[in-house]
Amino acid sequence: MAELPSFRRLRRLRMKPALREMVRETALAPDDFIYPLFVVPGSNIRREVAAMPGVFNLSVDRLAAEVEPAVALGIRAVLLFGIPESKDEHASGAYDPNGIVQRAIRELKRRFPELIVIADCCLCEYTSHGHCGLVRDGVIVNDESVALLARAAVSQAEAGADIIAPSDMFDGRVAAIRAALDQRGCIYTPILSYAAKYASCFYGPFREAAQSAPAFGDRRSHQMDPPNVREALREIETDIAEGADIVMVKPALAYLDVIRAARERFDIPLAGYNVSGEYAMVKAAAANGWIDGERAMMEILTAIKRAGADLILTYHAVEAARLL
Ligand code: PBG
């Protein structure tokens, strides 16, 4: 009798596609994805973002046509960013009941009542200086900005938003938004907080799409320092204590360890944001023929889910759903 090999044949379960599929540990589905959209004033506008091929600035009247294929593919949620007609120091466009995002929310809810419309809640697209809050003596102030965020959240919920997603990283915003929503009777409107959001260079293309690059300084006094992971858990714990219903880690790809740590520590739904720079890198390399764009996309999205994210915010949502 031949001697038994002294090693394990792990390849046995890799020899046939069906076997590989049977033992696959992570599966993506279209309802994992949240599809971000950028709404601009005007009509009949569908302008491609230079660094994000396949992503468009859309006027309200062109939104539905963009969303229709996503809904048909089984994507359940979109995330809305608004670029207002005019910006000022007080970000008044953010809490204008007839502002760009509020109008976009109404239009999408009218056309797709079942679609989950998530409103990004931040001031950076609405301030003339591009900061996420009010600026006094060169300092981005916290508490007064939070009060404006709460106003913006209420106006978004009243326009029909299904979920409010604060992306500013100021202290106390989740508690303030929860209190303001409850006071207005929006007790069933969940909060998806950008809980661990890092001061990352990977937001570069987004700031072109949202016209929200800060005119001076940076976001390091409120967004997190990239080397930290324990601090991310404190941020997430704080947001949960303040009333967040879903928490997010952002960016995703360079922060998979943070997603994993959050997954192990907390039992609440967790989202990862596959941000603009991550998308742009895949598109640029694929356009040069340096990488297989579709495979890179699926491998990245799978990694974010494998790390522990239940939900993935991604500009690839429609392309990826088509391949599933
Ligand atoms: C707004 C906001 C940003 C992103 C989402 N919400 C930009 C920033 O913080 O500068 C980035 C999204 C992306 O890069 O895809 N505060």
Side-chain angles (χ1 to χ4, degrees):
M1 236 175 53
E3 228 182 295
L4 288 173
S6 60
F7 54 85
R8 289 193 213 170
R9 281 194 202 283
L10 292 165
R11 290 183 59 193
R12 272 184 210 118
L13 296 180
R14 294 180 201 143
M15 300 309 284
K16 296 173 182 174
L19 277 175
R20 290 196 294 271
E21 277 172 36
M22 283 167 68
V23 298
R24 196 159 283 161
E25 298 173 32
T26 307
L28 290 169
D31 60 5
D32 295 335
F33 302 142
I34 297 172
Y35 188 36
L37 297 165
F38 299 97
V39 199
V40 295
S43 59
N44 204 23
I45 295 170
R46 185 172 188 268
R47 192 171 49 232
E48 195 163 38
V49 178
M52 300 174 75
V55 174
F56 299 86
N57 280 337
L58 300 160
S59 50
V60 172
D61 59 326
R62 297 287 293 264
L63 270 180
E66 205 71 20
V67 168
E68 218 165 82
V71 169
L73 286 162
I75 292 167
R76 295 188 192 281
V78 297
L79 172 70
L80 289 180
F81 295 99
I83 295 97
E85 208 130 349
S86 66
K87 307 184 185 223
D88 59 38
E89 285 193 11
H90 301 102
S92 28
Y95 40 89
D96 176 353
N98 211 23
I100 184 76
V101 154
Q102 290 80 356
R103 278 185 278 138
I105 294 166
R106 275 188 227 110
E107 167 71 3
L108 283 180
K109 290 305 294 184
R110 185 175 68 79
R111 298 286 299 268
F112 308 96
E114 304 299 317
L115 180 72
I116 298 298
V117 175
I118 308 175
D120 181 271
C121 188
C122 192
L123 305 183
C124 67
E125 300 104 286
Y126 303 92
T127 51
S128 39
H129 44 60
H131 280 295
C132 307
L134 304 177
V135 178
R136 291 246 158 72
D137 303 323
V139 175
I140 304 162
V141 300
N142 195 90
D143 301 13
E144 286 168 82
S145 304
V146 165
L148 295 184
L149 286 167
R151 258 176 92 175
V154 166
S155 79
Q156 293 168 336
E158 287 182 342
D162 296 290
I163 300 181
I164 305 299
S167 65
D168 53 283
M169 285 299 281
F170 296 140
D171 293 322
R173 80 276 168 69
V174 173
I177 289 172
R178 184 71 271 157
L181 289 173
D182 288 354
Q183 201 172 21
R184 294 294 271 265
C186 303
I187 57 170
Y188 291 118
T189 305
I191 296 175
L192 187 178
S193 81
Y194 288 62
K197 176 174 176 180
Y198 289 86
S200 169
C201 76
F202 290 105
Y203 309 149
F206 171 94
R207 291 179 188 171
E208 175 205 330
Q211 296 161 30
S212 67
F216 55 88
D218 54 42
R219 307 213 200 289
R220 291 176 215 249
S221 80
H222 49 293
Q223 298 181 350
M224 280 186 54
D225 202 19
N228 296 356
V229 60
R230 294 190 300 266
E231 185 188 358
L233 299 176
R234 288 204 294 281
E235 282 283 0
I236 294 169
E237 186 175 42
T238 302
D239 281 10
I240 295 172
E242 290 185 18
D245 300 279
I246 305 174
V247 290
M248 187 207 292
V249 172
K250 177 184 172 195
L253 194 50
Y255 298 84
L256 293 175
D257 57 322
V258 181
I259 294 177
R260 168 52 45 191
R263 173 73 298 151
E264 282 172 5
R265 176 85 70 95
F266 305 107
D267 55 9
I268 146 173
L270 179 63
Y273 201 140
N274 176 216
V275 299
S276 57
E278 297 169 1
Y279 177 87
M281 289 194 297
V282 170
K283 291 294 174 190
N288 275 291
W290 296 339
I291 203 170
D292 178 332
E294 282 190 353
R295 287 191 58 193
M297 162 179 82
M298 295 313 269
E299 201 168 320
I300 288 169
L301 295 172
T302 301
I304 296 169
K305 185 146 184 208
R306 191 188 62 231
D310 304 298
L311 297 166
I312 305 171
L313 296 100
T314 179
Y315 306 99
H316 291 297
V318 173
E319 296 173 85
R322 252 189 208 114
L323 296 180
L324 292 173

